[in-house]
Amino acid sequence: MAAPVHVMITGAAGQIGYALAPMVCRGAMFGPDVPIVLHLLDIAPAAESLKGVAMELVDAAYPLLKGIVATTDVAEACKGVEVAVMVGGFPRGPGMERKEVMGKNISIYKSQASALEEHAAPGCKVLVVANPANTNALILSTYAPKIPKENVTCLTRLDHNRALGQVSQRTGVPVSDVKNCIIWGNHSSSQYPDVNHGTAGGKPIREAIADDEYLNGEFVKTVQQRGAAIIAARKLSSALSAASSVCDHMRDWVNGTPEGTWVSMGVLSPGGDAGYGIEAGLMYSFPVTCAGGKWSIVPGLPIDERSRGLMDATAAELKEEKVLAEELIAAM
């Protein structure tokens, strides 16, 4: 058996962390033959809950789980980690201004970035989940300059999977046969879920559904607002689906995407034609393929006028977030 992969989950005592840890231990992230050492980090007020999570992981007797580090010390948690899943963050509460939330998250991600840079394994792969995910990832990348820029990503695979699921529901085609939807831009309600290049059961999605009004309207809004709909239904935010999508993101990044299939990942835009005209330096969701532990943006997809406008609108929101983050950092 191979050497264990050291995986850190921050916010590990929370909903997503509690759903994610057992999935990782069952091989959903890297495969059924890859052993794991879990590094679980949470804040001091959650220490007892974190202890309980670690106890349950021991009680589950997962064959792949070779060790647990459960701590509230960020340096201890980051030591030697090869994969970091950043679930912890400061949530936006009632009446809170976006600037206030971002200020608190900058402090969190600045500290965690420094710890990762100092203590993580060389080549550590980072996935930011906590919202605002794109901008939190950008902050982390800024404050951990030794971590290669291409190794810091954010989660838009949940949105991607939501799009696949909606197409499957509408067409009756199994979700495993729905491919190559795209999430462009921000992990927010400005994101653009694009079906123009996707297929369902081997047929173009627009042909399989044959309802452009739905695809240009209700479908887009359903994917954009799915998180809010789940909160309304469960009175809790998405956890199971988010955790599953984290595993999908990391598995494809490490093990590679299937031939002829792309996925959506939030990555730093290279700008120019390679970045579909999106400003360089924005953390933006693109269609990517993965091989050899590296992602590549799918090149040369034709972009129609409607798509261009929606892609630019979500980029504008990300640019606003970036400017706000820079202002807050400068004031620190």
Side-chain angles (χ1 to χ4, degrees), residues 121-330:
C124 177
K125 287 179 163 58
V126 182
L127 170 58
V128 176
V129 179
N131 289 320
N134 299 59
T135 300
N136 284 344
L138 188 63
I139 292 162
L140 190 149
S141 180
T142 300
Y143 282 104
K146 291 180 186 172
I147 296 177
K149 298 296 184 189
E150 64 272 18
N151 280 22
V152 179
T153 65
C154 75
L155 186 73
T156 57
R157 183 62 174 268
L158 176 55
D159 309 297
H160 180 97
N161 287 350
R162 286 167 171 166
L164 299 179
Q166 290 304 303
V167 171
S168 173
Q169 293 277 298
R170 190 76 174 191
T171 60
V173 172
V175 74
S176 56
D177 293 329
V178 180
K179 300 185 187 309
N180 296 349
C181 292
I182 301 169
I183 302 299
W184 299 100
N186 200 1
H187 175 61
S188 76
S189 58
S190 79
Q191 66 180 253
Y192 169 38
D194 179 3
V195 298
N196 290 337
H197 313 283
T199 59
K203 293 172 64 175
I205 289 172
R206 287 200 177 270
E207 185 182 317
I209 290 180
D211 187 344
D212 283 346
E213 185 178 350
Y214 162 76
L215 287 170
N216 293 345
E218 182 185 340
F219 166 79
V220 171
K221 287 180 182 172
T222 297
V223 176
Q224 289 174 334
Q225 302 289 341
R226 188 67 163 182
I230 287 167
I231 290 171
R234 287 190 72 228
K235 309 299 183 273
L236 294 165
S237 59
S238 307
L240 182 157
S241 55
S244 181
S245 299
V246 166
C247 290
D248 291 343
H249 176 113
M250 290 306 312
R251 184 182 60 252
D252 286 341
W253 189 4
V254 171
N255 296 342
T257 45
E259 186 70 30
T261 301
W262 62 65
V263 295
S264 300
M265 288 173 60
V267 300
L268 274 178
S269 173
D273 290 343
Y276 288 89
I278 300 303
E279 179 181 309
L282 287 183
M283 189 67 67
Y284 191 96
S285 181
F286 290 99
V288 303
T289 56
C290 302
K294 298 183 182 297
W295 54 263
S296 301
I297 296 172
V298 176
L301 295 173
I303 303 297
D304 62 24
E305 187 177 348
R306 171 180 166 273
S307 295
R308 182 77 262 166
L310 292 167
M311 290 164 66
D312 288 346
T314 189
E317 182 183 61
L318 282 169
K319 191 171 180 179
E320 285 177 15
E321 286 187 13
K322 183 182 179 186
V323 168
L324 178 56
E326 287 168 348
E327 288 173 358
L328 290 166
I329 289 166

Side-chain angles (χ1 to χ4, degrees), residues 7-70:
V7 179
M8 180 173 72
I9 302 171
T10 73
Q15 266 211 104
I16 295 173
Y18 188 72
L20 176 59
M23 293 184 188
V24 176
C25 293
R26 284 200 175 276
M29 184 172 279
F30 301 117
D33 301 317
V34 180
I36 299 293
V37 174
L38 272 185
H39 297 232
L40 307 175
L41 175 68
D42 217 312
I43 56 176
E48 280 301 303
S49 181
L50 183 65
K51 181 180 175 183
V53 173
M55 290 164 65
E56 285 203 74
L57 291 168
V58 170
D59 293 349
Y62 295 109
L64 291 178
L65 182 59
K66 303 305 180 185
I68 302 170
V69 177

